[in-house]
Amino acid sequence: MLPEALAAVAAAGGVAVAQAVGTDTWHGVRHAVARLWRYRDEEEQQVALERLDETATVLAQASGEDAQVRQAVVWQVRLETLLEALDETDQQTVVEELRALVGQGRREVSPEGQTVGAIRMEAEATGRSRVYQAGRDQHIQE
């Protein structure tokens, strides 16, 4: 049985999976979660991808939050099972990756596992100067 802290990370990971389906972050979350199974073997990583696709299909066909809650629990159990099967070193690595995935908010993870889309901007205007910043399109008419 997993310690409570690890079970909590698995639960948060399950929620992250279920909430990402159908959003802009799904592609990245799908690959990041499947990559967690690389600590077992490549075949299990492929099975995880297939299960993630099944989750996306189920949630695309469902209406209401009940299906999302059920899928979050399904992924919680899958993540707990994965964590239980790993040695302590791999377990800690997977926990760190899960925490990063859960903590990334709306940022997207590329299939290679790199975070994309995170923008931090700072500016200081003095005197009569102006600063215009945008994370995407910006149209200024003066």
Side-chain angles (χ1 to χ4, degrees):
M1 183 163 190
L2 283 178
E4 191 174 321
L6 297 185
V9 171
V15 170
V17 168
Q19 288 179 343
V21 173
T23 69
D24 292 341
T25 62
W26 172 243
H27 182 73
V29 169
R30 176 183 175 269
H31 284 282
V33 170
R35 282 173 26 95
L36 298 174
W37 269 265
R38 74 186 181 280
Y39 294 99
R40 298 284 296 152
D41 63 42
E42 285 187 32
E43 186 176 308
E44 287 196 40
Q45 187 173 346
Q46 185 59 40
V47 169
L49 281 170
E50 292 168 7
R51 289 178 173 167
L52 286 157
D53 291 340
E54 290 171 12
T55 294
T57 301
V58 166
L59 292 177
Q61 296 172 351
S63 60
E65 285 186 29
D66 288 346
Q68 190 178 48
V69 170
R70 281 192 302 275
Q71 288 302 311
V73 171
V74 165
W75 279 99
Q76 174 185 350
V77 171
R78 287 177 177 158
L79 291 166
E80 286 176 352
T81 303
L82 171 65
L83 289 169
E84 288 173 341
L86 298 174
D87 64 42
E88 191 172 325
T89 302
D90 287 343
Q91 190 179 70
Q92 289 299 13
T93 303
V94 168
V95 166
E96 289 171 17
E97 290 181 29
L98 265 175
R99 284 184 177 139
L101 177 70
V102 169
Q104 77 182 0
R106 299 186 59 100
R107 290 179 289 172
E108 185 174 345
V109 177
S110 71
E112 295 80 32
Q114 297 176 336
T115 301
V116 295
I119 299 172
R120 179 186 170 144
M121 297 185 286
E122 292 183 31
E124 183 177 325
T126 59
R128 299 181 71 192
S129 62
R130 295 182 183 159
V131 175
Y132 301 98
Q133 294 181 308
R136 186 134 187 244
D137 299 345
Q138 183 176 49
H139 303 280
I140 300 168
Q141 294 179 340
E142 293 185 21

